[in-house]
Amino acid sequence: MKLLDKVCIVTGAASGIGKEIALTFAREGGKVVIADLSQDAAKAVAEGINQSGGKAMAVAMDVTSEDQVNAAVAQVVAAFGGVDVLVSNAGIQIVHPVEEFPFADWKKMLAIHLDGAFLTTKACMPHMKSSGKGGSIIYMGSVHSKEASVLKSAYVTAKHGLIGLCKTVAKEGGQHGIRANVICPGFVRTPLVEKQIPEQAQALGISEDDVVKKVMLKETVDGEFTTVQDVAEVALLFAGFGSNALTGQSLVVSHGWFMQ
Ligand code: NAD
């Protein structure tokens, strides 16, 4: 088991990519924390893991609230004894052309993606230091951490920003064995993407089928969606890696969309 008894907090783990990462980490022996805005859904994921012989707890957390983040991390440390892995994954999507982007939506996007990553990192790093064992911090970026698409100014800005945060945390955490890396998935069919298909069809004046084939998967090598399992495997690699050799990096998992 690659994560035996490691305490792993996954934000946004009640759904989609975060949920699959939590299930994967639990199978690898991790004590998994399902941190989400949606408390009922978080509890259901944690119960499922516990019923199948794993170890999990659910915590209510709005990643944009410093008080809620700090309280939830304190609750985890009291229950599980520390924090070894943080996956800052919670996220949403809001699409508009720049000129029509409501300022409130712009601020909401940056708050969830960037404030959330900052606040959870800030709350977890002291525990990774004090344990003497270091830890792994994983940010859920996107191909949009490297590339842009129309209508996604706030998302692209936030996802690019995560790379800067990651590199800084990798430098500050290095002497304490705290690693930081970014996963950059291509399109994955989660609720976040399902919601975008009709929205983009309307905004671009094309069919939903064309949004999938000509926008989302156009640049892939095989016209395939990335899966939640693909992303969870990369998260496991970053979480379980044994040294500082792998830090400050961002890895694209996207069926070849955006080759670096
Ligand atoms: P999803 O909608 O299935 O899950 C997102 C989860 O985040 C939900 O459970 C939601 O309740 C939670 N959440 C939202 N706001 C929150 C907040 N303020 N505090 C705590 N939890 C909150 O979406 P997903 O596709 O699994 O996305 C997960 C991450 O992966 C996001 O950061 C997203 O940008 C990123 N991503 C997704 C794709 C994709 O194609 N699906 C591609 C690249 C990156």
Side-chain angles (χ1 to χ4, degrees), residues 12 14-18 35-38 61-64 89-92 112-113 140-142 155 159 185-188 190-193:
S15 172
I17 291 171
D36 206 286
L37 202 55
S38 165
M61 184 197 282
D62 176 346
V63 296
T64 68
N89 165 79
I92 61 165
I112 294 175
H113 291 276
M140 196 54 64
S142 162
Y155 191 78
K159 292 301 191 188
F187 281 99
V188 182
T190 64
L192 180 141
V193 160

Side-chain angles (χ1 to χ4, degrees), residues 2 5 12 38 78 126 156 175 184 187 189 192 194 209 251:
K2 292 183 180 139
D5 290 334
S38 165
V156 169
Q175 61 182 310
C184 301
F187 281 99
R189 269 200 116 135
L192 180 141
E194 295 296 348
D209 197 44
L251 184 56

Side-chain angles (χ1 to χ4, degrees), residues 88-112:
S88 169
N89 165 79
I92 61 165
Q93 178 61 283
I94 301 175
V95 295
H96 295 288
V98 173
E99 292 158 272
E100 291 161 27
F101 219 111
F103 189 33
D105 284 350
W106 167 270
K107 285 194 275 197
K108 186 175 176 186
M109 286 292 288
L110 297 200
I112 294 175

Side-chain angles (χ1 to χ4, degrees), residues 113-198:
H113 291 276
L114 287 179
D115 297 359
F118 164 71
L119 290 172
T120 51
T121 300
K122 190 177 174 195
C124 290
M125 276 183 87
H127 300 290
M128 294 176 174
K129 273 188 193 173
S130 65
S131 72
K133 294 182 293 171
S136 174
I137 299 178
I138 300 165
Y139 299 106
M140 196 54 64
S142 162
V143 169
H144 287 110
S145 299
K146 314 263 180 185
E147 178 60 285
S149 293
V150 294
L151 308 177
K152 295 191 174 173
S153 53
Y155 191 78
V156 169
T157 301
K159 292 301 191 188
H160 274 65
L162 288 176
I163 295 204
L165 176 63
C166 163
K167 288 179 178 172
T168 309
V169 171
K171 288 201 170 185
E172 292 186 7
Q175 61 182 310
H176 305 284
I178 299 171
R179 296 175 294 104
N181 292 286
V182 184
I183 305 177
C184 301
F187 281 99
V188 182
R189 269 200 116 135
T190 64
L192 180 141
V193 160
E194 295 296 348
K195 175 177 166 282
Q196 281 175 62
I197 296 173

Side-chain angles (χ1 to χ4, degrees), residues 18 41 56-57 116 118 149 153 165 200 206-207 209 214 223 240 247:
M57 66 185 280
F118 164 71
S149 293
S153 53
L165 176 63
Q200 290 213 27
I206 58 177
S207 71
D209 197 44
K214 297 185 181 162
T247 195

